Amino acid sequence: MYDVEWTDAAAEDLYLKAPSDVAEELLAISRDALDLPPSQYGGPLGDKRWRRGVSRQRQKELDAVAGTLHDLDRSGPQACDYILVYQERGVLKSRYRVLAVISNGELAAAVNEYPNLDTPPWID
């Protein structure tokens, strides 16, 4: 088990961006899944880490049907539509600090801000 704290900015993100039921699920995920090893649902991000809004149980369910045509998607907003950006803060005891909540829409918009990714960089 570990401790988790939220910055004011992250808490504001959470409640402004996510419906209340999804926000509650993201809070639960922050208390339970930030210590999981890197995977397609989270990993390093420079000196920070990221975690998609996928609980331990949901990750097991998704991994079990990976590569099949079985669809576990639900309609409407879901926790997996959001990403938690956080830092590990503990030395003797695991402690995490959530810094931001990013929606899939924000992530897509940020990717669209990059210059043409198909163009190789010039090499001198």
Side-chain angles (χ1 to χ4, degrees), residues 40-113:
Q40 64 187 353
Y41 307 109
L45 183 67
D47 65 339
K48 298 167 187 60
R49 295 173 71 181
W50 67 276
R51 174 74 191 174
R52 181 153 304 275
V54 176
S55 67
R56 285 177 192 269
Q57 182 58 38
R58 188 73 170 161
Q59 183 171 333
K60 289 177 188 175
E61 293 167 2
L62 292 168
D63 289 345
V65 298
T68 71
L69 297 178
H70 188 73
D71 185 9
L72 295 177
D73 202 12
R74 302 177 304 230
S75 63
Q78 304 175 62
C80 64
D81 296 332
Y82 298 87
I83 295 167
L84 303 176
V85 177
Y86 62 99
Q87 288 179 314
E88 188 165 6
R89 311 252 311 156
V91 176
L92 298 177
K93 181 179 181 187
S94 294
R95 169 180 270 142
Y96 299 96
R97 185 173 193 209
V98 180
L99 305 170
V101 177
I102 301 171
S103 70
N104 282 346
E106 290 173 308
L107 183 61
V111 169
N112 286 334
E113 295 284 321

Side-chain angles (χ1 to χ4, degrees), residues 112-124:
N112 286 334
E113 295 284 321
Y114 283 96
N116 187 346
L117 298 176
D118 294 333
T119 305
W122 289 101
I123 300 175
D124 293 329

